[in-house]
Amino acid sequence: MAKLTKDFTNGNIPKQLLWLTLPFMASNALQVLYSTIDMIIVGYYVGTPGLSAVSQSSMIVNFATMVCLGFSNAGQVLISQALGAGKKKELNEIIGTLFSLILLIGAVLSVVILSIRSNIMVWMNIPSESYDMAMDYLVICSFGLIFTAGYNMVSAVLRGMGDSKRPFLFIVIATVVNLVLDIVFTGMLGWGVAGAAYATIIGQAVSFIFSIFYLCKNKQSFGFDFKAESFKIKKKYSKMIFSLGTPMAIQSGCINISMLYVNSLVNSINVVASASFGVGVRIDDIFNKVSQGLQFAALPMISQNIGAKNEKRAKQVVWYTLLYSGIFTVITICTYLFFGKELFMMFSDDPAVHAMSSTFVAAIVWMFPALAVMRGTNSFIQAIGNAKLGMVLSILDGVVLRIGLSYLFGIILEWGFFGFVLGYGLAAYGCGIPGLIYFLSGMWKKRKALADEM
């Protein structure tokens, strides 16, 4: 079996980026499909209240997932820079430390959510028709959070090594299991929203357990020995992971908290607006996650070259990422404008939800040019290890602008549903524009590579 690690310090950049991106895009599409299946099947069997319940609770669970992903991404950057610098011994210790830390963080977050679940439900203004179902979904998925954290951790390690095929394999397994169990639990057995939640965590558990078994069996190719002592948390690397990962986790947390806030504003309208926004955000998530495959591919390529002291090549990766992202953005906007209502019809047969789809589309399309820029600049900021800047930009995006603009347009200007969605979308420019200025200015050249500290 070929080694799982890839060398991106030489070779054809556009070709390497494209072939690394495609499996990541497919993996992300399946990952979104994984959660989208819940909404489609619940919408069909349970109706609009069930659709609202899944969309709201999944956002809470996603908040915890993104916090874990922030620390996983920190480990990914360390792994890529260690590979670029040729530090193999350090690589084994980084992976072992990351494994133990992420599983521990996942367990802690699970306990926290379960402890304050009632407060979260009240704070989000969950519609009364959806409350009990939303609570069931939240509780069940929170118990399975450790599997979600584990899967994302394994995927981050493999991404750091430049491997995009194995994450795709693992998410295929999770998606197939989830689809089958969704139909059985929610449809055939009539368990409703709870059935969708059970299908979700079982699918994630199967995928995580299989990924660990697979990597352990192929540990020589993987580069981690899976010895018990190797899982010991090394103080040096845990400090680096927390130093880099805490701003990333705060970054992810701020964005998700702001999304929950906008959700609470939308929920205050009625259950139809709640379901419509939930469906719209899910569709938006599909396009965003697929384009995020570019960011996942660019990150290890840039990190390796930063670790290898090849700044010129790292910059070239960013430019090609911006080019590919721009092309994908044009396709996304056209799809929304020409097939927006049809996309909403995939999730719900409620005419009231269909009627609100045009309003959502008219507001959300303004976001995508900013996302196109962010795919290149965010991957660069993460790759060089400037997590604090990423955190500041995300606070500007997620807290200052997303909450501020949604309140301004929706409440103060009284634009209602359109204003909430427009503010939600325009906030992305608070991250995209400053990030591009930082990249073009060259200020980042003063930073010391993380690999030098290993």
Side-chain angles (χ1 to χ4, degrees):
M1 180 180 174
K3 289 180 68 65
L4 300 183
T5 57
K6 303 289 189 304
D7 180 11
F8 297 119
T9 57
N10 53 71
N12 186 293
I13 292 176
K15 183 177 179 180
Q16 287 177 336
L17 181 61
L18 180 62
W19 287 112
L20 188 61
T21 294
L22 293 176
F24 280 141
M25 281 187 162
S27 297
N28 286 357
L30 281 176
Q31 195 161 16
V32 175
L33 177 63
Y34 183 93
S35 56
T36 300
I37 287 172
D38 288 345
M39 292 188 66
I40 293 176
I41 293 179
V42 167
Y44 181 79
Y45 285 106
V46 184
T48 299
L51 199 59
S52 172
V54 173
S55 66
Q56 305 306 309
S57 291
S58 61
M59 286 189 178
I60 301 169
V61 177
N62 189 56
F63 166 76
T65 301
M66 294 303 291
V67 171
C68 293
L69 189 59
F71 289 103
S72 295
N73 286 342
Q76 177 184 341
V77 172
L78 295 179
I79 289 167
S80 294
Q81 289 208 17
L83 280 173
K87 298 186 175 183
K88 296 183 179 180
K89 177 181 177 295
E90 290 84 352
L91 181 64
N92 191 76
E93 294 180 345
I94 293 170
I95 294 174
T97 299
L98 184 66
F99 265 57
S100 298
L101 281 179
I102 296 301
L103 294 179
L104 180 61
I105 292 171
V108 170
L109 286 172
S110 180
V111 172
V112 170
I113 292 176
L114 290 170
S115 299
I116 61 173
R117 60 189 184 277
S118 297
N119 303 80
I120 296 174
M121 291 283 115
V122 172
W123 181 73
M124 285 189 64
N125 290 324
I126 301 295
S128 58
E129 304 96 318
S130 307
Y131 186 92
D132 290 339
M133 292 183 287
M135 181 65 79
D136 288 342
Y137 193 91
L138 177 62
V139 170
I140 295 168
C141 287
S142 294
F143 274 112
L145 186 59
I146 191 169
F147 299 116
T148 308
Y151 164 76
N152 282 290
M153 176 264 298
V154 171
S155 295
V157 170
L158 291 171
R159 287 197 302 268
M161 292 180 166
D163 178 31
S164 57
K165 294 180 181 179
R166 253 57 60 166
F168 177 68
L169 169 66
F170 302 149
I171 193 60
V172 166
I173 294 171
T175 303
V176 171
V177 173
N178 185 45
L179 173 60
V180 173
L181 294 183
D182 252 329
I183 295 173
V184 173
F185 292 163
T186 305
M188 296 173 63
L189 297 180
W191 291 359
V193 169
Y198 281 120
T200 296
I201 64 167
I202 292 173
Q204 291 171 343
V206 170
S207 178
F208 174 57
I209 293 169
F210 178 84
S211 68
I212 294 297
F213 175 80
Y214 180 93
L215 295 176
C216 186
K217 187 176 180 180
N218 299 282
K219 56 188 175 184
Q220 289 185 337
S221 302
F222 182 45
F224 180 67
D225 57 25
F226 281 94
K227 293 179 180 179
E229 58 267 25
S230 295
F231 287 97
K232 182 179 179 181
I233 297 177
K234 303 290 184 180
K235 183 177 180 180
K236 177 181 179 180
Y237 297 116
S238 64
K239 185 177 179 180
M240 294 180 74
I241 289 171
F242 273 106
S243 177
L244 187 59
T246 299
M248 288 185 178
I250 293 174
Q251 172 183 348
S252 300
C254 286
I255 292 173
N256 278 272
I257 287 174
S258 68
M259 288 178 67
L260 293 175
Y261 177 80
V262 176
N263 250 278
S264 70
L265 294 177
V266 174
N267 289 343
S268 66
I269 301 175
N270 54 45
V271 71
V272 173
S274 173
S276 299
F277 187 73
V279 170
V281 169
R282 183 65 62 191
I283 295 170
D284 172 52
D285 197 34
I286 293 172
F287 288 110
N288 286 346
K289 286 288 173 61
V290 173
S291 70
Q292 197 176 51
L294 273 164
Q295 189 169 324
F296 283 170
L299 183 54
M301 293 182 68
I302 298 169
S303 296
Q304 281 194 24
N305 284 287
I306 292 295
K309 309 295 185 183
N310 193 343
E311 294 179 352
K312 180 180 179 181
R313 185 175 172 85
K315 288 175 61 178
Q316 290 176 328
V317 175
V318 177
W319 285 116
Y320 279 109
T321 303
L322 291 171
L323 173 62
Y324 288 156
S325 184
I327 294 171
F328 184 83
T329 296
V330 172
I331 296 172
T332 299
I333 292 175
C334 290
T335 303
Y336 255 114
L337 293 177
F338 292 109
F339 304 104
K341 185 176 181 180
E342 287 74 12
L343 291 173
F344 273 72
M345 291 171 67
M346 291 171 56
F347 293 84
S348 173
D349 58 2
D350 189 340
V353 173
H354 301 166
M356 295 194 77
S357 63
S358 59
T359 304
F360 184 92
V361 170
I364 203 66
V365 292
W366 297 100
M367 174 180 69
F368 294 107
L371 288 182
V373 173
M374 288 168 59
R375 293 301 171 233
T377 56
N378 281 10
S379 59
F380 181 77
I381 292 170
Q382 286 186 344
I384 63 175
N386 196 345
K388 292 181 180 178
L389 175 61
M391 180 184 69
V392 170
L393 295 183
S394 292
I395 291 174
L396 179 61
D397 170 352
V399 178
V400 178
L401 292 181
R402 183 165 292 155
I403 292 177
L405 292 178
S406 294
Y407 190 84
L408 171 65
F409 296 146
I411 302 295
I412 296 178
L413 298 181
E414 299 182 349
W415 291 358
F417 184 75
F418 175 81
F420 295 143
V421 179
L422 183 64
Y424 170 89
L426 291 181
Y429 288 90
C431 186
I433 294 176
L436 182 62
I437 293 173
Y438 177 75
F439 170 68
L440 295 175
S441 69
M443 292 185 289
W444 49 271
K445 293 180 180 180
K446 301 176 182 179
R447 292 188 59 84
K448 185 179 181 181
L450 294 171
D452 295 339
E453 302 174 13
M454 296 177 184

